[in-house]
Amino acid sequence: MGNSFKSANFLKESRLADAARGNADALYDLGMAYPSGSGGVEVDLIEAHKWFNLAALNGSEEATMCRADISDEMTAREIAEAQRQARAWLQATDQRRAA
């Protein structure tokens, strides 16, 4: 369990800074971790959809396809929550960039 937690934290920390700068590869990597639980993160389709959505907004065609694939397994409410979280991420990172 300890190694899994460390691995998940490393994945998040190593990619979040790049993701905050709009790096589509970092956003996609975060999205890829959540549907499968790779890198020690817990499976979370809402988180996956959020990151794929953000990656797609930054030009990742692969993320667009992955987002569509996992949407088939999600409820409308879950998709709406993922979209809300993506908007919140955009607002938070835009404020950090402006500061």
Side-chain angles (χ1 to χ4, degrees):
M1 174 101 140
N3 285 339
S4 223
F5 180 74
K6 287 179 187 176
S7 181
N9 278 342
F10 176 76
L11 171 71
K12 290 178 193 175
E13 290 172 11
S14 68
R15 301 313 281 155
L16 281 175
D18 289 337
R21 290 189 289 274
N23 180 300
D25 290 334
L27 293 161
Y28 178 80
D29 289 347
L30 287 163
M32 285 302 292
Y34 286 96
S36 62
S38 67
V41 301
E42 289 195 32
V43 173
D44 186 334
L45 295 183
I46 293 171
E47 277 293 303
H49 191 285
K50 173 182 88 175
W51 294 116
F52 286 142
N53 195 32
L54 293 165
L57 287 172
N58 283 279
S60 173
E61 291 182 31
E62 295 90 355
T64 303
M65 291 184 289
C66 291
R67 180 184 59 195
D69 287 345
I70 65 166
S71 292
D72 292 340
E73 301 175 37
M74 299 172 70
T75 66
R77 191 174 299 248
E78 289 171 328
I79 293 169
E81 175 60 19
Q83 291 170 337
R84 186 197 65 74
Q85 289 182 19
R87 284 190 300 275
W89 169 264
L90 287 173
Q91 286 182 327
T93 55
D94 282 345
Q95 289 173 2
R96 277 188 245 141
R97 282 186 221 153

